[in-house]
Each structure stands twice: as C-alpha cells, then as structure tokens.
Amino acid sequence: QVQLVESGGGSVQPGGSLRLSCATRTVASDNYCMAWFRRAPEKKREGVAATWSGGGSTNYAASVKGRFTISRDKANNMLYLQIDTLKPEDTAEYYCAAGVARICGGGRWSLGGEYNYWGQGTQVTVS
C-alpha cells in the first residue's frame, strides 16, 4: 500500500516562495510516476508537475513552467515541489500522486485519473 503525506503549505504574499513536501512511504521502487496536482476553489483539478521516480525527465504545466520545480530525494523517499514567484492564482489545495511509470513518458501525466495513489493535500494561499 502506497502512502503519500503532504506538508509545507501555508499563507504567503505574492512574489514569495514555498516548498511543498510529500513523504512517499512504501514508494521505494524506481517504477512510479510521481506528480503534483492542485485544485483551486470552483476550478478543475490541474496537474502541475510530474517526474519519474527513477530519475530523468520531468513534466510541467505551461501555467507554472519556470516557477515550479519538482524534485525527488530517493534516499529519503521524499517528493518536493518548489514554488517561486507565487501569484494569487496559485492559491489551491496541492496534492501529490503516484501512478505507474509509463504515465510520465506520455502525454497523460496531467490526467488525475491515471494515478492510483493520492495524499490528503496541503493548502497554499497567496494574498
């Protein structure tokens, strides 16, 4: 059973930065696509970034490219999302997710239905 636990959210002023963390307990293999999603009030869930747990390629939504950085600490089973130059429109609940590795290699990485495991979310508020 894969367990994902997010942390690091909070309230930040525009232009600030946050680093979100996701403890990926039991995700010890190199065979997962790991992703961050967000859901703003009254908006659809949006995939913002994904990376293959074995390292290598990353994917970003156009809306966050250049400001968001996804990374992994394999030794400690952690997934991170560095968010810089925060904007009010980044306000949302952020979730980490895990799914089979092939998701990262194709164009479906941003589709939430492709992922099997989800964390409980962490709130980011920019104002």
Side-chain angles (χ1 to χ4, degrees):
Q1 181 72 22
V2 174
Q3 292 182 320
L4 306 173
V5 181
E6 303 94 334
S7 61
S11 296
V12 187
Q13 292 184 342
S17 297
L18 277 176
R19 189 176 79 157
L20 306 184
S21 301
C22 176
T24 61
R25 297 170 192 164
T26 75
V27 180
S29 77
D30 288 340
N31 214 26
Y32 283 91
C33 181
M34 305 296 300
W36 286 97
F37 285 77
R38 67 183 180 184
R39 177 172 279 162
E42 300 181 359
K43 290 190 176 180
K44 291 183 179 180
R45 182 175 55 192
E46 176 188 20
V48 297
T51 186
W52 175 48
S53 60
S57 64
T58 57
N59 300 285
Y60 293 97
S63 59
V64 306
K65 205 166 186 177
R67 297 191 299 118
F68 287 26
T69 305
I70 189 171
S71 62
R72 276 206 80 197
D73 177 351
K74 288 176 62 177
N76 293 296
N77 288 332
M78 295 294 294
L79 180 73
Y80 299 105
L81 185 69
Q82 177 69 36
I83 309 175
D84 296 319
T85 320
L86 277 156
K87 303 176 181 180
E89 52 263 42
D90 295 320
T91 295
E93 189 84 7
Y94 284 73
Y95 301 87
C96 67
V100 295
R102 60 171 172 78
I103 300 171
C104 275
R108 301 180 69 82
W109 70 267
S110 61
L111 301 179
E114 295 287 324
Y115 294 83
N116 304 104
Y117 306 101
W118 293 84
Q120 83 289 348
T122 186
Q123 177 68 34
V124 172
T125 302
V126 186
S127 64

